[in-house]
Amino acid sequence: MAFWDGLWRGRAAQFDSGSASTNSIELTRRRPQVSLSKQGAATGNLRVNLSWRMRTSDIEGRSRQSGRLLRNPSKLFRPEVVQAHTQGVVNVDLDLGCLYEMADGSKGVVQPLGGFLGSLNETPYVRLSGDDRFGAPSGETLFVNLDHRDAIRRLLFFVYIYDRTPAFDRTHAKVTLYPSNGPRVEIELDERAPQARSCAVFMVENVKGELIVRREVKFVYGFQAELDRLYGWGLQWGRGYKTKT
């Protein structure tokens, strides 16, 4: 038994300890949630970052790898990994979004599609930093102003494939939460759903004044409207497109 497991035994911990060396918590199906309030992180700005990477075998195809494998067979068992946030590597456009429901009953979405970028200083107290279409080291980031946590009922963070992107089983995505205090929280989108176009990643919910982060990682084969139906948001959706750049 690991020391960290023993440390948390008896406290009914709802999250994996992750890596002590990197000061991170990994939410898993076995331990799916963590309280931001209990770790003193329910104030300030919560930063939510989406990043992804791909194996070169996914990008280049087996035919282009065959020659290399013949010259160095050991690479068959050690596939090289490259960052997808590199221009010219592959056409990837994963988008990060957030469905919100406020304490007063108002609802909506923050996402790149449609330019719904939100606001940090007024409802919904969620702001998108921008739309990363071509790849950047920082990925895509949403900020949540938790100083207004009493105005928030629930926030559902999701990722969707906008256009011509390899399926989720080839795009190894990860969402990382950076609270104002304590370790970061990591959620891997590592479950295989080859035809899925969207994924509900995690929920932030205000439960009697306590802010709870709960892992969801539920893949769907449609887009935002299907996530809406799954979680009962009740919004009206239409087909949207991004302007060409």
Side-chain angles (χ1 to χ4, degrees):
M1 180 181 69
F3 168 76
W4 194 262
D5 291 335
L7 182 63
W8 284 101
R9 179 165 291 184
R11 293 195 183 184
Q14 296 300 308
F15 53 86
D16 277 346
S17 61
S19 170
S21 63
T22 58
N23 194 32
S24 64
I25 293 168
E26 183 180 1
L27 297 187
T28 66
R29 282 196 290 181
R30 184 170 65 89
R31 293 178 177 175
Q33 69 182 44
V34 62
S35 169
L36 293 180
S37 299
K38 288 181 178 178
Q39 68 179 38
T43 59
N45 286 338
L46 171 68
R47 179 162 60 98
V48 180
N49 179 258
L50 165 68
S51 61
W52 63 89
R53 59 185 173 85
M54 296 186 67
R55 297 186 186 278
T56 53
S57 56
D58 293 331
I59 298 169
E60 298 175 357
R62 293 182 180 273
S63 61
R64 295 182 62 181
Q65 289 289 336
S66 58
R68 299 178 188 176
L69 293 176
L70 288 174
R71 292 192 298 270
N72 192 347
S74 65
K75 286 191 175 181
L76 177 64
F77 305 101
R78 295 184 292 103
E80 182 183 359
V81 173
V82 298
Q83 293 295 322
H85 295 309
T86 304
Q87 295 190 22
V89 173
V90 68
N91 184 14
V92 173
D93 192 1
L94 293 182
D95 282 348
L96 176 66
C98 175
L99 283 165
Y100 63 84
E101 181 179 1
M102 311 307 291
D104 64 5
S106 59
K107 301 176 182 179
V109 66
V110 176
Q111 63 178 20
L113 193 62
F116 296 106
L117 301 182
S119 173
L120 271 182
N121 299 313
E122 58 186 19
T123 301
Y125 306 108
V126 179
R127 174 72 180 178
L128 182 67
S129 63
D131 180 14
D132 172 26
R133 299 197 199 182
F134 306 108
S138 59
E140 288 196 0
T141 301
L142 278 161
F143 294 91
V144 184
N145 186 348
L146 296 183
D147 290 337
H148 295 273
R149 60 192 176 280
D150 291 340
I152 297 171
R153 179 173 296 168
R154 58 174 180 161
L155 305 172
L156 178 66
F157 292 82
F158 60 92
V159 174
Y160 62 95
I161 296 170
Y162 174 67
D163 190 25
R164 295 191 303 274
T165 306
F168 277 109
D169 63 336
R170 294 172 59 194
T171 305
H172 306 280
K174 177 173 69 174
V175 173
T176 305
L177 290 70
Y178 298 90
S180 60
N181 184 57
R184 67 179 182 268
V185 180
E186 298 179 344
I187 305 170
E188 298 274 358
L189 277 61
D190 53 2
E191 297 179 15
R192 294 295 174 253
Q195 302 302 316
R197 303 292 296 181
S198 305
C199 179
V201 182
F202 72 96
M203 182 88 75
V204 174
E205 199 163 11
N206 192 329
V207 182
K208 297 180 179 179
E210 183 179 0
L211 281 185
I212 303 293
V213 174
R214 185 178 68 250
R215 178 188 185 272
E216 298 291 332
V217 190
K218 293 181 180 178
F219 291 92
V220 299
Y221 297 97
F223 292 94
Q224 292 90 323
E226 190 168 343
L227 291 173
D228 183 312
R229 287 191 294 270
L230 182 63
Y231 288 90
W233 236 265
L235 300 177
Q236 297 295 319
W237 297 93
R239 181 65 175 169
Y241 300 91
K242 295 184 181 181
T243 59
K244 295 182 179 180
T245 58

